[in-house]
Amino acid sequence: MKIRMKNHEAPVSEKQWRAIIDCDSSYDGLFIYAVLTTGIFCKPSCRSRVPNRGNVIVFGHAEEARTAGFRPCKRCKPTDRLGPIEDWVARITQYIDDHYKDPLTLEALSYHCHGSPYHLQRTFKRWKGMTPGEYIQRTRIRKAKELLAGSDKPVAEIGTAVGMPSAPYFITLFKRKTGYTPADFRKLLREKTR
């Protein structure tokens, strides 16, 4: 599709430009910006490389940009219905759910989910009520419970399977979170099913 310029499309204002270079999510929903050289439109909070200001034009909403021949950014997904922060936190959560077995650090999450570690930690906690590290632990304990209930694998093997290769750490964390050691938890489940 060829890009069609109209008279009502405007170059970026100083305030809008500052929002774009700062990836300011408070401007999401107020305008969309498009880059002439790439043919892509984004939300102000997009973490893509900052474009040349002379190549940027603004639109009131995504449909105007699409009608003008621009296509939506795959990174910030400017046509999604979720707000940018909710969508970002949902992507972080999904990444953890899909990769809980891997060594997950705040730096790794921020790399894969496109944000600074500090902003990721603060935003995730505000929306989920817990830090990413707490969510990772909760996910691993939940998966460990499933494995303890559905298999006879040794406790150390289950710990490794859920991303905690240190058996003592796994046992200590499991007990702190559930009140039981993994072996006691398995025993309790079996007694209940008799």
Side-chain angles (χ1 to χ4, degrees):
M1 180 184 258
K2 190 173 182 180
I3 295 172
R4 295 182 299 275
M5 297 295 292
K6 295 181 183 175
N7 292 336
H8 68 274
E9 294 161 359
V12 65
S13 72
E14 191 59 42
K15 192 182 257 188
Q16 292 166 330
W17 180 245
R18 176 64 33 208
I20 292 167
I21 62 175
D22 290 342
C23 303
D24 190 340
S25 62
S26 66
Y27 284 84
D28 288 353
L30 299 179
F31 72 93
I32 293 288
Y33 75 92
V35 182
L36 293 168
T37 52
T38 63
I40 294 174
F41 66 92
C42 300
K43 297 175 186 177
S45 64
C46 188
R47 298 268 174 204
S48 296
R49 198 173 100 221
V50 177
N52 181 320
R53 184 173 178 171
N55 293 327
V56 174
I57 56 173
V58 296
F59 294 92
H61 53 81
E63 201 47 48
E64 287 178 1
R66 196 188 294 266
T67 300
F70 292 93
R71 61 188 188 282
C73 173
K74 291 182 180 179
R75 178 175 281 178
C76 71
K77 300 177 182 166
T79 56
D80 281 0
R81 290 190 174 164
L82 285 177
I85 299 298
E86 298 95 333
D87 179 49
W88 189 50
V89 171
R91 282 187 282 139
I92 296 164
T93 304
Q94 188 61 54
Y95 187 84
I96 293 169
D97 290 344
D98 293 343
H99 297 90
Y100 67 91
K101 297 175 186 178
D102 301 337
L104 292 176
T105 64
L106 200 53
E107 288 72 24
L109 286 175
S110 65
Y111 174 79
H112 290 290
C113 299
H114 310 293
S116 75
Y118 172 77
H119 182 63
L120 188 146
Q121 171 97 353
R122 187 183 58 180
T123 304
F124 193 92
K125 184 167 185 174
R126 187 174 67 221
W127 284 94
K128 299 293 276 183
M130 66 185 83
T131 66
E134 290 167 336
Y135 184 79
I136 292 165
Q137 287 180 348
R138 184 176 286 187
T139 302
R140 287 174 172 168
I141 295 299
R142 182 171 39 86
K143 297 293 185 181
K145 285 179 177 179
E146 292 171 12
L147 288 172
L148 287 164
S151 75
D152 289 324
K153 291 181 179 178
V155 168
E157 194 174 318
I158 289 175
T160 299
V162 298
M164 292 186 274
S166 167
Y169 174 73
F170 170 60
I171 293 166
T172 302
L173 181 65
F174 193 93
K175 185 168 184 177
R176 188 173 53 205
K177 297 291 184 184
T178 66
Y180 301 98
T181 65
D184 290 341
F185 180 81
R186 178 182 272 161
K187 183 178 176 184
L188 184 67
L189 285 176
R190 290 190 176 155
E191 288 172 1
K192 284 184 178 180
T193 57
R194 285 185 192 168

